[in-house]
Amino acid sequence: MKVVVIGAQWGDEGKGKIVDYLANEAQIIVRYAGGANAGHTIVIGGEEYALHLIPSGVFYSDKIVILGAGMVIDPVALFDEIKMLEDRGIDTTGRILISDRAHIVLPRYIKIDKERDAARKKPIGTTGRGIGITYSMKSDREGIRIADLAWKDKMAELDPEDRNFLAPYIEKLLAMSVDLASYLVHRKNSQVLFEGAQGTLLDLDLGTYPYVSSGMSCAAGAAVGGCIGPRAIDKVLGVFKAYSTRVGNGPLPSEFDPNSEDELCRFVRDMGREYGVTTGRPRRCGYLDLVSLRYACITNSIDSLVMTHLDVYDNFDEIKACIAYRIGNRLVEKFPASIEELNNAKPVLRTFSGWKKSLASALTYEEFPLAAMEYIDFIERYCETPVDIVSVGYDRKATIIRKSPWTK
């Protein structure tokens, strides 16, 4: 069975924790897009780990994790991450593989990335990790893939600066490389978990362009970056927070008002630890945007939703969610492509009763307070998609499974 986990918002939804939790029942975990611009935080027994490139399932000693064909790999970041894991007692020997079709991030791409974003009249707010430049080089047919490291003529074409940078990594990267399509087809009976990066609203085609990432953050990206084909996907899970966040520039229609809701924003940001894992930047926060969440469900054929950070609302008397936009004199219930419209959109909010009780002690969904279940029930009806998993904390154990994604 093949299950895809994607972000259903602007990234940072908690995909890393969910992939780590679900990986227990998988044999292979494939990260299919993005690069070291992603940040996935995993908490195991109170120990916190930050991953940027390596799939979250690496913490299980019997799992194979693969960096897919749609990824862009910074060798320095990759081997620093491997060393971090090894230093903390995680044996990765023979368990981390890389698709031979994945592209490589070169140091000069990082420099270009920072300079280009700074020179824009309206900066996008990239992480400055060279991700967009690497994807641009890939589109221009000027990129370097893992497979190309063994191609002498291709390597001879590179500038001396690039060759010198790659020299210490060539042998190690080639030893980890794999023909991903063949690898998976020979393991067609395995449970495979595909891990996305960023979120639907940062997808190059589906997201709030141009304030997007350069890769395929959507579920369709798993077919391409995972080398499997779309009909091989059995189930798509969309992860979302009980509220909305965004890093960097671009529209966030349900963002808390900085003048009247600054205290609310600070509370949610601090309780939810809303600071970028990769950059450390504070995330912009707002009400749960159900208009965009329903759009994500539609465009990704999401079978079930995974809700995270619900516990952030434990002490609220009431909570609100955005159910439509007011743009000028129009009521808009669909997610527009126009950035101008999104920038001018005002959230139409619906108020829900708070539950004033900690969710941390709940072992089953039935133990949730009625108000929490009513909030989730409304989301399900609005999005026409079930919420099958609810996370109420950072640790693996703080995860409520209503329906296992490993069932067809």
Side-chain angles (χ1 to χ4, degrees), residues 18 74 92 97 107 150 172 225 230 260 346 354 362 366 390:
I18 300 305
D74 179 342
T92 66
L97 304 176
K172 291 190 286 187
S260 61
K346 304 298 181 185
E366 288 68 30
V390 183

Side-chain angles (χ1 to χ4, degrees), residues 32-35 37 70-72 131-132 135 138 197-200 202-206 212-218 221:
Y32 64 81
N37 56 336
M71 288 191 68
V72 291
I131 307 305
Y135 279 116
K138 175 180 178 178
Q198 286 81 49
T200 295
L202 293 177
D203 182 82
L204 186 60
D205 295 297
L206 299 179
V212 292
S213 187
S214 302
M216 295 182 71
S217 307
C218 59

Side-chain angles (χ1 to χ4, degrees), residues 113-355:
D113 188 6
K114 293 177 180 177
E115 291 174 348
R116 183 172 293 181
D117 201 47
R120 288 187 172 102
K121 291 182 178 179
K122 293 184 177 180
I124 292 170
T126 74
T127 59
R129 298 299 178 102
I131 307 305
I133 302 302
T134 309
Y135 279 116
S136 295
M137 293 293 186
K138 175 180 178 178
S139 297
D140 287 342
R141 280 82 76 190
E142 295 289 342
I144 300 295
R145 303 175 303 161
I146 298 295
D148 298 334
L149 296 175
W151 184 9
K152 293 182 179 179
D153 290 346
K154 182 68 174 179
M155 295 301 291
E157 295 174 3
L158 296 178
D159 294 338
E161 175 190 359
D162 295 338
R163 286 201 303 272
N164 292 337
F165 167 74
L166 289 169
Y169 299 108
I170 291 175
E171 188 175 327
K172 291 190 286 187
L173 289 170
L174 288 175
M176 298 166 72
S177 72
V178 64
D179 177 345
L180 184 54
S182 296
Y183 186 90
L184 291 180
V185 81
H186 286 107
R187 293 160 180 80
K188 60 184 178 182
N189 294 324
S190 296
Q191 304 264 65
V192 185
L193 192 59
F194 292 89
E195 176 182 18
Q198 286 81 49
T200 295
L201 302 175
L202 293 177
D203 182 82
L204 186 60
D205 295 297
L206 299 179
T208 52
Y209 186 90
Y211 301 98
V212 292
S213 187
S214 302
M216 295 182 71
S217 307
C218 59
V224 180
C227 300
I228 55 170
R231 288 193 294 175
I233 295 172
D234 294 294
K235 193 167 288 188
V236 177
L237 274 62
V239 185
F240 75 103
K241 285 175 182 167
Y243 48 91
S244 298
T245 63
R246 179 167 194 157
V247 172
N249 299 327
L252 184 63
S254 64
E255 188 168 11
F256 295 137
D257 187 318
N259 296 315
S260 61
E261 297 175 317
D262 183 58
E263 185 177 342
L264 173 61
C265 181
R266 286 202 306 271
F267 179 86
V268 170
R269 182 181 288 148
D270 291 342
M271 284 295 294
R273 303 186 198 177
E274 298 301 346
Y275 298 88
V277 178
T278 299
T279 63
R281 288 182 293 183
R283 295 174 185 142
R284 297 157 59 194
C285 300
Y287 298 106
L288 174 61
D289 185 340
L290 289 173
V291 179
S292 64
L293 183 60
R294 181 168 57 189
Y295 168 77
C297 290
I298 294 168
T299 53
N300 291 283
S301 297
I302 291 176
D303 295 290
S304 68
L305 289 164
V306 180
M307 187 182 205
T308 65
H309 289 68
L310 183 60
D311 53 302
V312 169
Y313 282 144
D314 279 354
N315 295 315
F316 280 52
D317 292 317
E318 60 180 32
I319 56 179
K320 298 177 182 180
C322 171
I323 59 170
Y325 306 141
R326 181 71 64 182
I327 304 176
N329 59 1
R330 294 183 297 127
L331 184 69
V332 177
E333 296 179 321
K334 296 180 180 179
F335 192 72
S338 167
I339 298 301
E340 182 179 25
E341 288 194 346
L342 287 171
N343 283 336
N344 291 322
K346 304 298 181 185
V348 176
L349 301 174
R350 172 165 174 153
T351 301
F352 300 83
S353 297
W355 41 92

